[in-house]
């Protein structure tokens, strides 16, 4: 099934009869007035991008939040396989995933969309709750990031 038909069929199955793909291969789905999941087809590269803007980086960026996001990115463990990133051009924190395979059916697309939306919701909560202040029980910084048993050659 081609991309446009897949999105149309997904829309029908999700009760979103108005969901259509634009001429440039994009569409957006809004969840609970909080999450907008964007889908973009790159026909030249034969990949599909799915992403959610989580926060404005100007207001949300701190070292603690960046550390939390990097830790969450490790092996996709806390992101449902998606990637947290900073879009420097737009100054936004984004949760994204790309698919370099043909999506076989509406059920598969539904699972992918639900998983990304669920992860986005969790990360919006985490970013909202995170503070820019350093935790009181954090270890003091040392001059070297390496344990004492490491030596230079």
């Amino acid at each position: 099934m081609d991309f446009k038909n897949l999105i149309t069929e997904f829309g029908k199955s999700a009760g979103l009869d108005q969901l259509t793909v634009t001429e440039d291969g994009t569409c957006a789905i809004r969840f609970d007035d909080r999450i907008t999941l964007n889908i973009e087809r790159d026909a030249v590269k034969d990949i599909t991008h799915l992403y959610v803007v989580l926060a404005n980086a100007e207001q949300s960026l701190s070292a603690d939040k960046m550390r939390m996001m990097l830790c969450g990115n490790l092996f996709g463990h806390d992101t449902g396989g998606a990637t947290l990133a900073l879009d420097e051009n737009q100054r936004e924190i984004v949760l994204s995933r790309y698919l370099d395979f043909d999506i076989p059916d509406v059920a598969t697309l539904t699972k992918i969309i639900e998983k990304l939306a669920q992860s986005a919701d969790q990360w919006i909560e985490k970013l909202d709750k995170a503070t820019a202040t350093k935790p009181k029980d954090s270890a003091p910084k040392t001059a070297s990031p390496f344990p004492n048993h490491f030596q230079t050659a």
Side-chain angles (χ1 to χ4, degrees), residues 32-49:
D32 300 327
D33 291 328
R34 180 175 150 128
I35 295 169
T36 301
L37 191 147
N38 300 281
I39 304 173
E40 296 183 8
R41 179 76 181 143
D42 184 337
V44 174
K45 293 182 181 177
D46 197 27
I47 58 176
T48 302
H49 297 277

Side-chain angles (χ1 to χ4, degrees), residues 42-63:
D42 184 337
V44 174
K45 293 182 181 177
D46 197 27
I47 58 176
T48 302
H49 297 277
L50 295 90
Y51 65 93
V52 175
V53 175
L54 302 177
N56 179 311
E58 297 288 337
Q59 299 166 351
S60 299
L61 215 49
S62 71

Side-chain angles (χ1 to χ4, degrees), residues 2-150:
D2 74 353
F3 178 72
K4 286 186 177 186
N5 286 333
L6 181 66
I7 295 297
T8 300
E9 290 302 314
F10 166 78
K12 288 177 184 175
S13 74
L16 304 169
D17 294 333
Q18 303 298 327
L19 185 64
T20 57
V21 177
T22 64
E23 288 298 318
D24 59 349
T26 66
C27 68
I29 304 165
R30 186 95 171 136
F31 294 87
D32 300 327
D33 291 328
R34 180 175 150 128
I35 295 169
T36 301
L37 191 147
N38 300 281
I39 304 173
E40 296 183 8
R41 179 76 181 143
D42 184 337
V44 174
K45 293 182 181 177
D46 197 27
I47 58 176
T48 302
H49 297 277
L50 295 90
Y51 65 93
V52 175
V53 175
L54 302 177
N56 179 311
E58 297 288 337
Q59 299 166 351
S60 299
L61 215 49
S62 71
D64 287 340
K65 286 183 182 181
M66 293 297 287
R67 185 177 195 278
M68 178 179 65
M69 290 172 23
L70 284 170
C71 290
N73 260 344
L74 184 63
F75 305 120
H77 177 68
D78 288 340
T79 59
T83 302
L84 289 161
L86 172 64
D87 180 341
E88 248 184 341
N89 293 330
Q90 300 296 320
R91 301 293 301 156
E92 297 170 329
I93 298 170
V94 176
L95 181 67
S96 66
R97 177 168 182 190
Y98 78 91
L99 307 174
D100 59 355
F101 59 88
D102 288 333
I103 304 164
D105 52 38
V106 171
T108 302
L109 179 62
T110 301
K111 287 178 188 175
I112 292 168
I113 288 172
E114 286 175 349
K115 191 173 188 178
L116 186 61
Q118 186 176 50
S119 291
D121 188 50
Q122 291 168 353
W123 275 100
I124 290 170
E125 287 291 323
K126 287 179 183 182
L127 290 169
D128 285 347
K129 289 180 181 177
T131 62
T133 59
K134 192 176 186 180
K136 292 177 181 164
D137 62 338
S138 64
K141 292 194 179 218
T142 60
S144 172
F146 300 108
N148 292 336
H149 63 273
F150 283 102

